[in-house]
Amino acid sequence: DAKTTQPPSMDCAEGRAANLPCNHSTISGNEYVYWYRQIHSQGPQYIIHGLKNNETNEMASLIITEDRKSSTLILPHATLRDTAVYYCIVRVYNAGNMLTFGGGTRLMVKP
Amino acid sequence: DVKVTQSSRYLVKRTGEKVFLECVQDMDHENMFWYRQDPGLGLRLIYFSYDVKMKEKGDIPEGYSVSREKKERFSLILESASTNQTSMYLCASSPPPNFRYSNQPQHFGDGTRLSIL
């Protein structure tokens, strides 16, 4: 699996968009970008994933650069409940494979 | 929504006890996983199962065993609990690699925080 680099922490004002970056410069052609988050004392929660096209669902948008070496997770209107650690993972899509979480970004949404 | 339910949120046991952690999923997923999560070490895979009665060792299987008698249930067993097994234990499930399930990666329970005294 390709290594990812994320900032250790970020702040965001409530109601504003939260943009969380992830660098994955060694990504290979068949590796997907996944985002999970973990709210304190809960299990990880799947957010979104993509290969090369931008993706959007009810939780977030995922923007992947054309060279696929970086991506941005966008929470369009952050709420206090979005305060969590966000993990960017790059791996070959195979739902049977294990996940490896790195350090992640601790997002603090402030009123 | 996928629901993965772990039997206990918090558990305290004594050294040497046999400990059972239970996990149930309601989405008929073939794959189920047990991880432990420790500060600074991230998520580490203990065991996974890709079908009933099938199991595979993960990265850190020593001191653990698993049981998958029914598709929806995956149990983690600490044969003789030790203090270094104090951790957060997470269960997850997912469908098999299949184009039809391309939007459904692993889904996690809320975890069991286990303390071994």
Side-chain angles (χ1 to χ4, degrees):
Chain A
D1 293 345
K3 180 178 169 57
T4 62
T5 304
Q6 300 176 252
S9 65
M10 291 180 64
D11 290 345
C12 177
E14 188 179 18
R16 304 297 292 268
N19 298 295
L20 292 92
C22 180
N23 285 326
H24 31 80
S25 58
T26 60
I27 193 171
S28 59
N30 61 347
E31 288 183 312
Y32 284 70
V33 180
Y34 288 79
W35 283 85
Y36 281 77
R37 72 180 181 184
Q38 191 167 20
I39 297 169
H40 183 61
S41 296
Q42 295 183 19
Q45 179 187 23
Y46 164 76
I47 301 173
I48 199 168
H49 76 285
L51 183 62
K52 54 184 177 182
N53 297 321
N54 297 337
E55 301 287 344
T56 296
N57 63 20
E58 65 279 3
M59 289 182 68
S61 294
L62 173 61
I63 309 298
I64 303 173
T65 57
E66 192 168 343
D67 63 7
R68 302 210 321 122
K69 293 184 177 183
S70 65
S71 60
T72 301
L73 178 75
I74 301 172
L75 307 178
H77 305 286
T79 71
L80 299 178
R81 287 175 295 181
D82 291 322
T83 292
V85 179
Y86 288 77
Y87 297 98
C88 169
I89 301 163
V90 175
R91 58 192 279 268
V92 176
Y93 178 69
N94 181 337
N97 281 355
M98 58 174 283
L99 290 176
T100 303
F101 285 12
T105 296
R106 186 172 297 276
L107 176 69
M108 179 73 71
V109 180
K110 298 183 175 180
Chain B
D1 280 353
V2 177
K3 184 81 173 165
V4 179
T5 303
Q6 295 184 230
S7 53
S8 306
R9 289 298 304 276
Y10 301 93
L11 206 53
V12 180
K13 296 290 183 181
R14 297 205 173 274
T15 303
E17 281 192 71
K18 191 169 186 176
V19 181
F20 293 85
L21 302 183
E22 306 286 344
C23 175
V24 176
Q25 50 95 2
D26 65 357
M27 280 299 291
D28 202 35
H29 285 169
E30 279 77 3
N31 299 314
M32 295 189 74
F33 308 81
W34 275 106
Y35 294 87
R36 62 179 283 179
Q37 187 174 31
D38 300 288
L41 296 176
L43 217 61
R44 293 182 291 169
L45 182 68
I46 305 170
Y47 267 98
F48 71 96
S49 168
Y50 51 89
D51 203 350
V52 175
K53 296 191 186 295
M54 307 301 287
K55 61 185 180 184
E56 293 284 342
K57 293 180 179 179
D59 289 339
I60 51 164
E62 296 77 20
Y64 303 94
S65 62
V66 289
S67 172
R68 184 114 181 254
E69 296 297 319
K70 293 185 178 181
K71 192 175 186 180
E72 68 271 18
R73 187 179 297 271
F74 192 34
S75 303
L76 180 69
I77 303 151
L78 284 66
E79 298 292 343
S80 177
S82 64
T83 55
N84 63 10
Q85 292 178 310
T86 291
S87 185
M88 166 74 98
Y89 289 87
L90 290 160
C91 175
S93 75
S94 72
N98 184 311
F99 180 76
R100 188 160 69 93
Y101 296 103
S102 62
N103 290 324
Q104 298 184 44
Q106 292 186 27
H107 298 268
F108 287 81
D110 279 339
T112 295
R113 192 167 291 281
L114 175 64
S115 296
I116 306 296
L117 304 180

